[in-house]
Amino acid sequence: MAFQPNQPGQGKQFQCPPADPIMTSPERVVRDFYHPQKVQVIHPIQIVNRHHCVPVYEHVYTCEETDEYCGTHPHPHQGMLRDK
């Protein structure tokens, strides 16, 4: 038979008296919950209309016509140019 301390007698088992409970400081448990919250983000847009003058070339041709006499002997049917 094994030795059993604090045993008063053979047939009875020893029972410890109820102990006073020990209260510890509360332990804080944090549970985070996240919920969507609409926040307007305003992006201002400024439209600037810029006007630029760009050269576009318009080619205009003028025409001038003159008659010249070439040669030493005038043709009988062709008149000579005279200075005025």
Side-chain angles (χ1 to χ4, degrees):
M1 182 177 197
F3 173 76
Q4 295 180 3
N6 299 327
Q7 293 292 325
Q10 275 289 358
K12 288 190 173 183
Q13 211 152 355
F14 178 78
Q15 251 186 351
C16 294
D20 292 333
I22 300 173
M23 180 68 87
T24 63
S25 298
E27 185 175 327
R28 184 176 168 189
V29 176
V30 177
R31 300 187 318 167
D32 291 322
F33 296 91
Y34 296 93
H35 304 279
Q37 179 186 24
K38 288 186 177 182
V39 176
Q40 287 187 346
V41 178
I42 300 173
H43 301 273
I45 298 174
Q46 181 183 32
I47 297 176
V48 177
N49 294 320
R50 296 175 8 162
H51 300 270
H52 302 273
C53 293
V54 178
V56 177
Y57 298 110
E58 178 184 356
H59 298 276
V60 178
Y61 299 93
T62 60
C63 183
E64 183 179 303
E65 185 177 335
T66 59
D67 292 323
E68 293 182 353
Y69 174 73
C70 298
T72 55
H73 297 7
H75 189 273
H77 300 290
Q78 182 178 10
M80 290 182 59
L81 292 178
R82 299 183 187 185
D83 290 332
K84 291 186 178 183

